[in-house]
Amino acid sequence: MVLRELDTTREEGGGDHKQAARSSAVLHRDLSYDFLSLSQGEGNYLVLEDGRRIFDASGGASVGCLGWGNERVARAVMKQLMAIPYCSTVFYTTRAQEELCRFLVESTHGHMGRAYIVNSGSEAMEAAVKLARQYFLELSPSQNNRTRFISRRQSYHGITLGALAVGGHQYRRAKFEPILMKNVSKVSPCNPYRGKNPGETDQEYVDRLAKELDDEFQAVGPETVCAFIAEPVVGAALGCVPSVPGYFKAVQAVCRKYGALLILDEVMCGMGRTGTLHAWEQEGVAPDIQTFGKALGGGYQPVAGVLASREVVGVLERGSSVFVHGHTYQGHPAGCAGALEVQRIIREENLLENVRKMGELLSGRLQERLGAHPNVGNIRGRGLFWGIEFVADKATMEPFPVENHVAAAICERGLTKEYSISVYPGTGSADGIRGDHIIVSPAYNVHKDEIEWIVDTLGRLVDDFFGSA
């Protein structure tokens, strides 16, 4: 299939678009792009300043779990803002923070001991890395040499320097490699579409990956490793790739063997996105430290956080009792109030059941409509978290050239009036640089007819883009 020539407005000419972009005072992600201006959100729709409505089929970056304009959440945030908008956590706490953290701890079936609330997933990962290091310092003076981390290639754990260092997203790391910490090594991701050998069973694949992790511990010195870091379902870097059954039990066993911690990053895949409140509930393991964000507050306030196991918390409590870390806006009252109300709505309206039910429908319909498309290599995911990977050759899984910007171009075309659908683009799913995918992750309260519309519209968009209609 010959790929149609892409719209190069962003790179060449663009006239009025270029001029509009240059008139902005915002340091945007792309200084040459004229961004669409949002006016408001109504349910699952984003409304532009010109009145055009776009169906938000990804909740932004898998953030919008309740859709937009939820008055109940807005009232909870406003009530907190009027009561006390800020809390200096050096001296004070708030009921909003205490109740949110209690909810989060109790949601883990006794595994976790305390929660720590920040404002973004990157901040959460920074805190998790530092907590892991401090845990070993408090555990015993003999553990002082634990300074290393192991993560996976083609992973993404945040954009700040520490979070970027423990991630494996090559494009996002490239310009900053010289200033990233060097005490992180990488092993292979668990990606059966591209990682399994011909004829290899799931168990053989798990055994091979577990041995690779064990070998990496041995190579760097098992006594130097603080933790292994991974996403239960890989989000932006790979496009909604779940592990094969037994993988996380196997890697946790390796961590236990060498006394290292298991940190699970659920910033994108957690808080109900995959059908259970915590994605690890489906893996038969519980992490020592967990990060979460995005669907925690559903986009109504910037909020994310960290959960620490009772063992990790216990070591700090018996030691210094001080976590040497802090942010001016940690435990922000409005963020906590908004997140707590979002989670109450999810529970009261039994939305996790809807995630599972609508997820099955979305999965099946995507496979029916796009599974045989010559440029769709793989459709994968869990719950309402689905990725579609595009390829130049279905038989060989050959990705498109990087310069074609396929995923971005598909998403941009989807925003045009003809389709009016928003999905989330990603790259690097083939080898860290090449590989295009989009993420489909609608709100938890999505209905059957909306799922059907999403799939039909995506089918038409993909057919038209590749010229295969």
Side-chain angles (χ1 to χ4, degrees):
M1 188 61 59
V2 178
L3 181 65
R4 285 183 175 177
E5 186 175 343
L6 302 182
D7 180 356
T8 56
T9 302
R10 292 182 68 162
E11 291 83 18
E12 301 171 5
D16 293 339
H17 289 275
K18 288 277 189 179
Q19 186 59 40
R22 287 170 181 162
S23 68
S24 175
V26 178
L27 184 60
H28 283 294
R29 292 170 181 253
D30 184 338
L31 302 183
S32 67
Y33 184 62
D34 183 19
F35 288 84
L36 300 175
S37 182
L38 284 179
S39 172
Q40 63 188 84
E42 296 176 356
N44 286 322
Y45 286 89
L46 300 169
V47 184
L48 303 182
E49 292 284 357
D50 63 8
R52 191 158 64 84
R53 295 163 61 87
I54 296 174
F55 191 94
D56 192 356
S58 65
S62 303
V63 173
C65 57
L66 295 182
W68 311 116
N70 188 293
E71 292 185 5
R72 181 172 160 182
V73 180
R75 284 195 298 268
V77 172
M78 182 58 70
K79 182 179 178 180
Q80 184 61 55
L81 287 173
M82 296 304 295
I84 180 66
Y86 167 70
C87 175
S88 175
T89 54
V90 175
F91 300 107
Y92 311 106
T93 187
T94 61
R95 180 178 297 178
Q97 178 178 226
E98 295 292 337
E99 290 184 356
L100 175 61
C101 290
R102 176 58 55 195
F103 169 87
L104 290 166
V105 168
E106 291 180 350
S107 73
T108 65
H109 318 295
H111 291 296
M112 298 302 190
R114 290 182 185 253
Y116 182 85
I117 304 300
V118 290
N119 303 298
S120 73
S122 296
E123 289 181 16
M125 184 52 66
E126 295 280 344
V129 166
K130 291 176 71 175
L131 181 59
R133 166 64 176 166
Q134 188 175 337
Y135 164 79
F136 285 107
L137 294 179
E138 303 260 348
L139 183 64
S140 169
S142 66
Q143 300 288 333
N144 183 56
N145 59 345
R146 288 195 185 261
T147 60
R148 298 189 61 86
F149 293 85
I150 302 174
S151 61
R152 304 190 295 187
R153 292 185 288 276
Q154 295 162 266
S155 60
Y156 179 63
H157 299 296
I159 204 67
T160 52
L161 289 176
L164 199 59
V166 298
H169 197 289
Q170 289 179 251
Y171 173 77
R172 297 184 186 187
R173 288 174 56 103
K175 289 180 171 62
F176 310 103
E177 285 285 358
I179 59 174
L180 298 181
M181 61 184 187
K182 307 303 180 186
N183 56 337
V184 182
S185 54
K186 308 290 193 304
V187 294
S188 299
C190 184
N191 181 0
Y193 173 61
R194 291 193 175 274
K196 283 181 72 174
N197 293 326
E200 190 173 39
T201 66
D202 281 354
Q203 187 58 55
E204 290 168 340
Y205 185 40
V206 167
D207 291 344
R208 176 161 61 87
L209 292 177
K211 183 179 185 304
E212 181 186 354
L213 179 60
D214 194 296
D215 290 346
E216 187 62 25
F217 268 93
Q218 289 291 335
V220 301
E223 72 287 351
T224 70
V225 179
C226 285
F228 173 62
I229 303 171
E231 292 174 272
V233 181
V234 184
L238 284 181
C240 307
V241 174
S243 64
V244 299
Y247 171 79
F248 277 101
K249 284 186 176 181
V251 297
Q252 186 177 59
V254 175
C255 292
R256 294 286 185 265
K257 176 180 177 181
Y258 296 116
L261 300 180
L262 175 63
I263 299 175
L264 292 184
D265 177 356
E266 296 203 4
V267 169
M268 200 170 199
C269 67
M271 300 313 299
R273 178 55 67 185
T274 62
T276 51
L277 195 64
H278 308 288
W280 53 259
E281 295 177 75
Q282 299 172 60
E283 303 296 342
V285 302
D288 300 293
I289 299 173
Q290 172 191 351
T291 61
F292 51 93
K294 299 191 186 296
L296 171 65
Y300 284 84
Q301 286 285 289
V303 63
V306 177
L307 277 161
S309 70
R310 290 184 295 173
E311 165 63 20
V312 170
V313 171
V315 166
L316 263 67
E317 289 176 337
R318 293 188 295 271
S320 70
S321 80
V322 176
F323 179 28
V324 188
H325 187 67
H327 293 275
T328 299
Y329 291 107
Q330 74 179 65
H332 192 273
C336 291
L340 183 60
E341 199 66 16
V342 166
Q343 295 308 312
R344 284 171 172 165
I345 291 169
I346 290 172
R347 176 173 288 184
E348 291 170 13
E349 298 185 4
N350 197 26
L351 292 183
L352 295 187
E353 175 62 29
N354 196 59
V355 170
R356 294 187 287 269
K357 184 177 179 180
M358 292 298 101
E360 288 185 15
L361 177 62
L362 178 59
S363 168
R365 290 288 288 114
L366 284 174
Q367 292 288 354
E368 290 171 11
R369 181 63 178 82
L370 288 170
H373 192 284
N375 296 112
V376 172
N378 188 235
I379 300 171
R380 65 292 184 109
R382 190 181 289 169
L384 284 175
F385 195 49
W386 287 86
I388 304 171
E389 183 170 343
F390 301 103
V391 292
D393 188 300
K394 197 178 185 79
T396 65
M397 301 187 294
E398 178 68 18
F400 287 102
V402 174
E403 56 270 21
N404 281 19
H405 304 292
V406 167
I410 289 173
C411 291
E412 286 185 25
R413 184 163 182 164
L415 296 175
T416 62
K417 187 176 182 180
E418 184 177 359
Y419 310 98
S420 293
I421 188 170
S422 178
V423 288
Y424 193 74
T427 58
S429 44
D431 57 17
I433 299 294
R434 299 179 303 157
D436 294 272
H437 60 264
I438 60 172
I439 291 176
V440 185
S441 50
Y444 299 178
N445 47 16
V446 68
H447 299 300
K448 179 179 182 296
D449 57 341
E450 293 172 322
I451 293 292
E452 296 289 351
W453 184 89
I454 289 170
V455 174
D456 289 345
T457 304
L458 280 178
R460 185 163 52 89
L461 171 61
V462 172
D463 284 346
D464 292 350
F465 181 83
F466 291 106
S468 59

